[in-house]
Amino acid sequence: RVLLAGICLQIAVSTSAHASMCVNGRPSLEREYRESEYVVEGKVSRIVRDAATSYVYDGQIYHDRVDRVTVRVLSSFKKPSGKTLTFENPHNSAALPVQIGRNYLLFLSRSTPSEGLQVDTCGLSGLMDRERYEARQQLGRWSKSMPPFVVNRD
Protein backbone atom coordinates (compact mmCIF):
# COMPACT_ATOMS: atom_id res chain seq x y z
CA ARG A 1 0.00 0.00 0.00
CA VAL A 2 2.84 2.39 0.79
CA LEU A 3 4.41 1.69 -2.60
CA LEU A 4 1.09 2.30 -4.39
CA ALA A 5 0.54 5.55 -2.45
CA GLY A 6 4.07 6.66 -3.35
CA ILE A 7 3.48 5.95 -7.03
CA CYS A 8 0.19 7.89 -6.97
CA LEU A 9 1.89 10.83 -5.24
CA GLN A 10 4.71 10.82 -7.81
CA ILE A 11 2.19 10.89 -10.67
CA ALA A 12 0.32 13.79 -9.05
CA VAL A 13 3.52 15.77 -8.45
CA SER A 14 4.82 15.22 -11.98
CA THR A 15 1.79 16.71 -13.73
CA SER A 16 2.15 19.82 -15.87
CA ALA A 17 2.54 23.22 -14.22
CA HIS A 18 -0.84 24.20 -15.64
CA ALA A 19 -2.65 21.05 -14.51
CA SER A 20 -5.74 21.71 -12.48
CA MET A 21 -5.61 19.82 -9.19
CA CYS A 22 -7.84 22.10 -7.09
CA VAL A 23 -5.80 21.52 -3.93
CA ASN A 24 -7.22 24.66 -2.32
CA GLY A 25 -10.81 23.86 -3.24
CA ARG A 26 -13.10 26.19 -5.09
CA PRO A 27 -12.68 29.93 -4.51
CA SER A 28 -15.63 32.00 -3.39
CA LEU A 29 -17.29 34.27 -5.93
CA GLU A 30 -15.85 37.30 -4.10
CA ARG A 31 -12.30 35.92 -4.13
CA GLU A 32 -12.42 34.86 -7.76
CA TYR A 33 -13.83 38.25 -8.77
CA ARG A 34 -11.11 40.05 -6.79
CA GLU A 35 -8.28 37.92 -8.25
CA SER A 36 -9.46 38.04 -11.89
CA GLU A 37 -8.33 40.60 -14.42
CA TYR A 38 -11.57 40.33 -16.43
CA VAL A 39 -15.00 38.94 -15.55
CA VAL A 40 -17.30 38.61 -18.54
CA GLU A 41 -20.26 36.78 -19.94
CA GLY A 42 -19.48 35.85 -23.51
CA LYS A 43 -20.35 33.62 -26.43
CA VAL A 44 -17.60 31.47 -27.94
CA SER A 45 -17.16 32.63 -31.53
CA ARG A 46 -13.89 30.97 -32.57
CA ILE A 47 -11.50 28.24 -31.46
CA VAL A 48 -8.00 28.02 -32.95
CA ARG A 49 -6.89 24.47 -32.21
CA ASP A 50 -3.38 23.49 -31.22
CA ALA A 51 -1.74 26.93 -31.20
CA ALA A 52 1.82 27.29 -29.90
CA THR A 53 2.49 29.14 -26.64
CA SER A 54 5.38 29.62 -24.22
CA TYR A 55 5.45 30.24 -20.49
CA VAL A 56 7.96 30.53 -17.67
CA TYR A 57 7.66 28.20 -14.69
CA ASP A 58 10.22 27.93 -11.92
CA GLY A 59 12.73 29.94 -13.94
CA GLN A 60 12.49 27.70 -17.01
CA ILE A 61 10.87 28.48 -20.36
CA TYR A 62 8.39 25.86 -21.53
CA HIS A 63 6.68 25.53 -24.89
CA ASP A 64 3.20 24.09 -25.01
CA ARG A 65 0.16 23.67 -27.24
CA VAL A 66 -3.15 25.37 -26.41
CA ASP A 67 -6.47 26.16 -28.02
CA ARG A 68 -7.02 29.92 -28.38
CA VAL A 69 -10.67 30.59 -27.62
CA THR A 70 -12.27 33.86 -28.73
CA VAL A 71 -15.48 34.98 -27.06
CA ARG A 72 -17.81 37.78 -28.11
CA VAL A 73 -18.31 39.77 -24.91
CA LEU A 74 -21.99 40.14 -24.01
CA SER A 75 -21.48 41.78 -20.59
CA SER A 76 -18.37 42.80 -18.70
CA PHE A 77 -18.47 42.81 -14.89
CA LYS A 78 -14.87 43.79 -14.26
CA LYS A 79 -12.60 45.93 -16.39
CA PRO A 80 -14.31 47.11 -19.55
CA SER A 81 -13.16 45.10 -22.51
CA GLY A 82 -13.51 45.29 -26.25
CA LYS A 83 -16.09 43.38 -28.24
CA THR A 84 -14.03 40.19 -27.96
CA LEU A 85 -11.54 38.55 -25.63
CA THR A 86 -9.27 35.59 -26.34
CA PHE A 87 -8.00 33.15 -23.75
CA GLU A 88 -5.65 30.16 -23.84
CA ASN A 89 -7.21 26.79 -23.10
CA PRO A 90 -4.47 24.21 -22.33
CA HIS A 91 -4.37 20.61 -23.51
CA ASN A 92 -4.55 19.05 -20.04
CA SER A 93 -6.85 18.67 -17.03
CA ALA A 94 -7.01 22.47 -16.65
CA ALA A 95 -8.92 22.84 -19.94
CA LEU A 96 -12.38 24.38 -19.86
CA PRO A 97 -14.73 22.44 -22.16
CA VAL A 98 -16.04 24.98 -24.68
CA GLN A 99 -18.22 24.90 -27.79
CA ILE A 100 -18.73 27.53 -30.46
CA GLY A 101 -22.06 29.33 -30.07
CA ARG A 102 -22.48 28.62 -26.34
CA ASN A 103 -22.51 31.30 -23.57
CA TYR A 104 -20.04 31.19 -20.68
CA LEU A 105 -19.33 33.14 -17.51
CA LEU A 106 -15.56 33.66 -17.50
CA PHE A 107 -13.14 34.80 -14.81
CA LEU A 108 -9.93 35.51 -16.72
CA SER A 109 -6.44 36.25 -15.42
CA ARG A 110 -2.75 35.81 -16.25
CA SER A 111 -0.18 33.86 -14.25
CA THR A 112 2.46 36.38 -15.35
CA PRO A 113 2.20 39.64 -17.33
CA SER A 114 3.74 37.95 -20.40
CA GLU A 115 1.20 35.11 -20.51
CA GLY A 116 -2.14 35.07 -22.27
CA LEU A 117 -5.44 35.18 -20.42
CA GLN A 118 -6.46 31.92 -18.76
CA VAL A 119 -9.39 30.42 -16.86
CA ASP A 120 -8.98 28.69 -13.49
CA THR A 121 -11.13 25.57 -13.89
CA CYS A 122 -11.24 25.16 -10.12
CA GLY A 123 -13.33 28.33 -10.06
CA LEU A 124 -16.72 29.40 -11.34
CA SER A 125 -15.90 29.83 -15.04
CA GLY A 126 -18.05 27.67 -17.23
CA LEU A 127 -21.09 27.18 -19.40
CA MET A 128 -24.01 29.41 -18.38
CA ASP A 129 -26.13 27.17 -16.19
CA ARG A 130 -28.17 27.83 -13.05
CA GLU A 131 -25.10 28.25 -10.81
CA ARG A 132 -23.42 30.70 -13.18
CA TYR A 133 -26.66 32.56 -13.80
CA GLU A 134 -26.95 33.09 -10.02
CA ALA A 135 -23.31 34.23 -9.89
CA ARG A 136 -24.02 36.62 -12.76
CA GLN A 137 -27.01 38.04 -10.84
CA GLN A 138 -24.79 38.58 -7.78
CA LEU A 139 -22.14 40.31 -9.90
CA GLY A 140 -24.87 42.61 -11.22
CA ARG A 141 -26.06 43.44 -7.67
CA TRP A 142 -22.53 44.31 -6.58
CA SER A 143 -22.30 46.86 -9.31
CA LYS A 144 -25.80 48.31 -8.87
CA SER A 145 -24.40 51.82 -8.56
CA MET A 146 -22.37 51.10 -11.70
CA PRO A 147 -24.20 48.48 -13.80
CA PRO A 148 -22.21 45.88 -15.76
CA PHE A 149 -20.62 47.19 -18.92
CA VAL A 150 -22.90 46.11 -21.75
CA VAL A 151 -20.86 45.79 -24.90
CA ASN A 152 -22.19 47.02 -28.22
CA ARG A 153 -23.23 43.81 -29.99
CA ASP A 154 -22.84 45.16 -33.55
Side-chain angles (χ1 to χ4, degrees):
R1 289 183 184 185
V2 172
L3 177 60
L4 182 57
I7 291 170
C8 291
L9 179 61
Q10 181 61 34
I11 291 170
V13 168
S14 65
T15 56
S16 166
H18 287 281
S20 179
M21 294 174 50
C22 302
V23 261
N24 295 324
R26 189 175 212 181
S28 67
L29 177 61
E30 295 87 354
R31 185 173 129 215
E32 191 163 20
Y33 179 84
R34 186 176 60 247
E35 293 175 358
S36 297
E37 184 175 344
Y38 294 95
V39 179
V40 300
E41 178 186 0
K43 179 180 280 196
V44 173
S45 59
R46 183 173 185 217
I47 302 173
V48 175
R49 304 265 182 217
D50 211 28
T53 189
S54 301
Y55 62 94
V56 177
Y57 178 74
D58 218 16
Q60 298 290 320
I61 297 175
Y62 294 89
H63 303 283
D64 208 351
R65 308 301 285 176
V66 298
D67 291 342
R68 286 208 168 83
V69 179
T70 301
V71 295
R72 183 169 52 97
V73 177
L74 304 175
S75 295
S76 182
F77 299 96
K78 182 174 183 184
K79 196 172 183 178
S81 61
K83 293 179 183 180
T84 64
L85 281 175
T86 300
F87 69 93
E88 295 182 349
N89 209 12
H91 289 191
N92 58 34
S93 63
L96 178 69
V98 293
Q99 294 177 353
I100 291 177
R102 304 292 302 268
N103 289 11
Y104 296 83
L105 182 61
L106 300 168
F107 295 80
L108 300 160
S109 59
R110 303 170 205 272
S111 296
T112 65
S114 63
E115 287 189 16
L117 289 169
Q118 300 171 349
V119 169
D120 177 2
T121 52
C122 291
L124 287 168
S125 290
L127 184 64
M128 285 301 289
D129 59 9
R130 181 184 177 135
E131 178 184 20
R132 286 169 189 92
Y133 179 77
E134 290 172 1
R136 183 191 188 286
Q137 296 301 100
Q138 182 62 43
L139 291 167
R141 283 193 291 273
W142 287 346
S143 48
K144 212 169 200 148
S145 61
M146 184 184 77
F149 303 98
V150 176
V151 178
N152 182 351
R153 297 182 188 174
D154 297 331

